[in-house]
Amino acid sequence: MNHPKLINQILEYGTAGFRTKANLLDHVLYRVGILAVLRSKFKKATIGVMITASHNPVEDNGVKLVDPHGEMLAPDWEVIATDLANVSDDRLSSLIDSIVHKWEIDITSPSNVIFARDTRPSGSSLSASLLDGIKSLNSSFTDFEILTTPQLHYLVHSINTNGLYGTPTPEGYIKKLSAAFNQLHSNIKHETTPFEKPRIFVDGANGVGALQVKKMSKEIESYITIEVFNDATSGKLNHMCGADYVKIQQKAPEGVPIIPYERCASFDGDADRVIYYYFDSDKRFHMLDGDKIAALIAGCISDFCVQAGLSVDLGVVQTAYANGASTKYLTDTKMLKVACVCTGVKHLHSKAQEFEVGVYFEANGHGTVLYKASVKQKLNQVIQNGSSDDSCRVAAENLLNFIDLTNETVGDSISDMLLVETALKIKAIDVLMWDAMYVDLPNRQLKTQVCDRSIFVLTNAEQQVVKPESIQPKIDELVSKYKDGRSFVRPSGTEDVVRIYAEADTQMNADWLAYEVSLVVYELGGGCGKKPTPPHDGKLLTIA
Ligand code: G16
């Protein structure tokens, strides 16, 4: 038996595929190879497989499938993935037969699977296991080796559209985005521009994003200087750096120079998230997360549409982690439609598809913009009808280039960063003005370990606990004690923890509310491991 299943632990296809310690994944990768081929035969299209554990520590790894348009695997096949990963070796071939039968898959039809991995040391042997699974069903394949997750999503969509979305090579990705960026920046002319040629410090999380952004920076150096730190040459992946570290710790990563008002951006381990930040003249850290990126980008697109004389149905999709101040700003100040869905890009992506222009971002910096074909048609119409000096026509051209700069398949650190840089230039604002759009409510995110996180059942876009029943009344009681209090808990789909989120009027109160709620989770949710400890050594101190 190739790649035998040596563990009894149940693995679930969670928020972003299978994710656990790398040494538990050999049989999973082999079976995912088989699954990808079956999916390819069923969809009659190329399917992607990305080997990554993204923001998790370097010892972890994971794997997820990419569907034909570059979107996440359809939910009904997530169930099949979980079944395949957990079935015993002796029942594997009968399960494959039953999948083929149930989904009426023509096993003799052609199939094509493309795959890539991040920079984790475990990646190459897991790639070999995946390939064995693919070859067991005689499928064609391409191993793209080390790429970012969004590059692989781009490749799948490009291949399946016969190059209409972009040239289906890693170089084609760099070319498409850099051409759109250069075109936009050569078009934008202000009498007074805050930064003639902007500079940005990028924290590459010691991962694949660092390698790819260096390639991109060479193509766009006429308009922006990108300096890369934590570039995978020496440091450990995601260790004291990267988008997740910055967002959760609410502090700067190690390895990035502190220069007041310099724009900084942190990517995560597979470069599908980005978080911005800067230091003020007192070297105090200020963060601009996915919510602020969404506000900037949605505002910029909305301005383009007004200038082009177009009325479009634009909506913003968030999750419960969105800061309350951002939701208020989008709805009350910008008068935009805002939807709230469960955590996980797949949920945001499908909700965003309901709008003509759907801007979706998780607070953790994961997001992109989706445009319906009708928007692109309307823009082309404006261009055809307008004269060359017509401001409507210029706005339509700019928006079309903005669309080309967007990786519509999935959140993309590099594409999102270039969209932010373009939006800042177009709006002629600097990082301070962007930050001043609204003031975040103080917040805190914690995680707590429980023996079995699957006992948690949630409702209302994961903002309320249905089971264990005793937890939600306690959370409600605690929240009512704090001014502007809001808190919710949910089991993570990528780590073996329950996440706790809290907001309140002051940082000290947000920290205490998060702590008190985490204690409830620990005590009533079957906590194991380390018991939560009070913030600020138990003292009522304000965080410096
Ligand atoms: C993945 C998902 C994100 C999600 C994050 C955390 O990100 O793609 O949508 O927000 O995990 O999920 P959870 O709270 O369930 O652990 P990444 O960047 O790690 O792939």
Side-chain angles (χ1 to χ4, degrees):
M1 174 77 204
N2 274 333
H3 308 280
K5 178 172 175 278
L6 301 173
I7 55 161
N8 286 324
Q9 187 185 333
I10 303 286
L11 298 174
E12 272 197 57
Y13 197 96
T15 313
F18 295 107
R19 212 175 273 191
T20 185
K21 295 278 163 266
N23 59 4
L24 304 180
L25 282 168
D26 176 67
H27 73 286
V28 176
L29 268 290
Y30 175 72
R31 293 163 182 215
V32 165
I34 294 171
L35 178 73
V37 176
L38 295 177
R39 182 78 179 151
S40 172
K41 289 180 188 295
F42 176 69
K43 296 297 283 185
K44 299 187 180 8
T46 293
I47 294 294
V49 180
M50 185 69 203
I51 302 170
T52 177
S54 192
H55 74 272
N56 293 47
V58 69
E59 303 75 30
D60 290 2
N61 215 325
V63 60
K64 59 187 165 194
L65 266 75
V66 179
D67 256 355
H69 293 293
E71 73 278 40
M72 299 293 182
L73 179 66
D76 44 6
W77 276 64
E78 289 186 359
V79 180
I80 302 177
T82 298
D83 290 347
L84 259 185
N86 293 293
V87 72
S88 59
D89 288 335
D90 57 338
R91 292 186 47 235
L92 178 60
S93 93
S94 68
L95 178 60
I96 294 169
D97 288 346
S98 74
I99 297 167
V100 169
H101 180 73
K102 179 176 171 200
W103 294 83
E104 297 177 0
I105 296 167
D106 176 2
I107 202 74
T108 62
S109 64
S111 52
N112 188 35
V113 177
I114 66 168
F115 57 99
R117 60 181 197 271
D118 69 17
T119 53
R120 275 161 222 267
S122 56
S124 69
S125 76
L126 291 175
S127 247
S129 313
L130 175 82
L131 187 53
D132 283 349
I134 296 169
K135 283 180 175 170
S136 73
L137 292 184
N138 295 320
S139 174
S140 65
F141 64 87
T142 307
D143 178 359
F144 279 98
E145 301 184 345
I146 294 176
L147 288 184
T148 69
T149 291
Q151 280 181 307
L152 186 79
H153 284 251
Y154 162 92
L155 288 171
V156 172
H157 190 36
S158 307
I159 290 171
N160 286 319
T161 54
N162 295 321
L164 268 183
Y165 186 64
T167 307
T169 59
E171 298 72 37
Y173 163 91
I174 303 270
K175 272 218 167 77
K176 181 181 177 192
L177 267 59
S178 59
F181 185 83
N182 288 334
Q183 187 61 56
L184 274 160
H185 285 253
S186 72
N187 285 357
I188 306 163
K189 297 198 173 55
H190 291 301
E191 281 170 20
T192 52
T193 306
F195 303 104
E196 267 312 318
K197 180 176 167 187
R199 178 169 75 161
I200 182 159
F201 291 168
V202 170
D203 155 27
N206 289 315
V208 59
L211 314 179
Q212 297 299 333
V213 79
K214 281 184 183 176
K215 291 185 190 166
M216 182 67 80
S217 82
K218 287 194 190 121
E219 303 298 319
I220 56 178
E221 62 190 4
S222 310
Y223 295 105
I224 189 166
T225 303
I226 298 176
E227 292 186 25
V228 185
F229 302 88
N230 299 327
D231 66 352
T233 49
S234 58
K236 197 170 161 187
L237 180 74
N238 293 332
H239 181 66
M240 313 288 277
C241 61
D244 202 61
Y245 175 85
V246 172
K247 172 66 181 156
I248 303 292
Q249 302 297 326
Q250 303 188 14
K251 65 180 185 194
E254 289 193 350
V256 175
I258 299 180
I259 300 182
Y261 304 112
E262 202 74 43
R263 284 204 285 281
C264 307
S266 279
F267 295 178
D268 69 339
D270 61 341
D272 59 4
R273 305 190 204 171
V274 62
I275 294 284
Y276 265 76
Y277 46 94
Y278 66 95
F279 302 93
D280 61 22
S281 48
D282 296 326
K283 298 195 173 168
R284 273 187 22 190
F285 168 82
H286 299 261
M287 178 166 62
L288 299 101
D289 64 5
D291 300 335
K292 243 176 201 156
I293 294 173
L296 176 71
I297 290 179
C300 185
I301 297 168
S302 165
D303 291 350
F304 276 140
C305 290
V306 170
Q307 289 156 13
L310 286 187
S311 152
V312 299
D313 177 34
L314 190 155
V316 181
V317 186
Q318 303 184 317
T319 71
Y321 291 108
N323 194 280
S326 79
T327 315
K328 197 167 167 3
Y329 171 80
L330 291 169
T331 48
D332 298 357
T333 309
K334 300 305 282 182
M335 312 293 271
L336 292 171
K337 288 183 198 165
V338 179
C340 180
V341 299
C342 295
T343 292
V345 191
K346 56 193 172 196
H347 302 296
L348 289 103
H349 194 93
S350 64
K351 186 71 191 172
Q353 283 172 327
E354 293 176 15
F355 299 99
E356 265 186 304
V357 178
V359 179
Y360 75 80
F361 269 89
E362 294 185 294
N364 63 22
H366 201 152
T368 186
V369 188
L370 306 183
Y371 298 86
K372 283 230 160 91
S374 59
V375 176
K376 298 171 196 172
Q377 278 157 14
K378 285 183 202 172
L379 290 168
N380 279 315
Q381 199 69 51
V382 173
I383 292 169
Q384 270 168 27
N385 295 344
S387 59
S388 59
D389 58 349
D390 180 350
S391 62
C392 288
R393 185 195 155 110
V394 172
E397 279 173 352
N398 281 342
L399 183 49
L400 275 175
N401 277 312
F402 204 73
I403 296 172
D404 267 348
L405 183 56
T406 309
N407 186 343
E408 290 187 71
T409 62
V410 79
D412 182 334
S413 313
I414 296 175
S415 158
D416 289 341
M417 179 181 82
L418 298 181
L419 288 171
V420 166
E421 292 302 318
T422 304
L424 292 175
K425 184 152 183 191
I426 283 170
K427 290 172 100 56
I429 60 172
D430 61 14
V431 72
L432 277 180
M433 290 152 91
W434 173 24
D435 197 19
M437 274 180 175
Y438 61 85
V439 179
D440 274 324
L441 278 170
N443 61 89
R444 180 63 60 197
Q445 221 193 105
L446 299 175
K447 43 189 173 186
T448 277
Q449 228 162 358
V450 295
C451 296
D452 179 8
R453 68 192 203 280
S454 71
I455 63 168
F456 281 73
V457 178
L458 310 174
T459 187
N460 187 21
E462 299 181 323
Q463 294 174 93
Q464 282 181 304
V465 184
V466 178
K467 279 182 186 164
E469 285 164 15
S470 52
I471 288 185
Q472 191 58 46
K474 285 279 179 201
I475 296 178
D476 294 342
E477 193 186 314
L478 289 170
V479 166
S480 69
K481 288 195 329 190
Y482 291 88
K483 186 165 184 289
D484 299 331
R486 181 169 79 92
S487 182
F488 64 91
V489 306
R490 54 174 285 282
S492 161
T494 61
E495 294 174 57
D496 190 13
V497 295
V498 173
R499 297 196 194 282
I500 293 103
Y501 178 83
E503 267 176 24
D505 59 336
T506 64
Q507 189 61 56
M508 187 172 67
N509 283 345
D511 290 348
W512 273 93
L513 177 56
Y515 160 68
E516 291 191 296
V517 172
S518 64
L519 213 49
V520 168
V521 169
Y522 189 86
E523 281 166 358
L524 303 179
C528 62
K530 201 168 159 253
K531 193 172 173 179
T533 48
H536 320 300
D537 297 328
K539 289 178 234 134
L540 297 183
L541 294 173
T542 308
I543 285 185

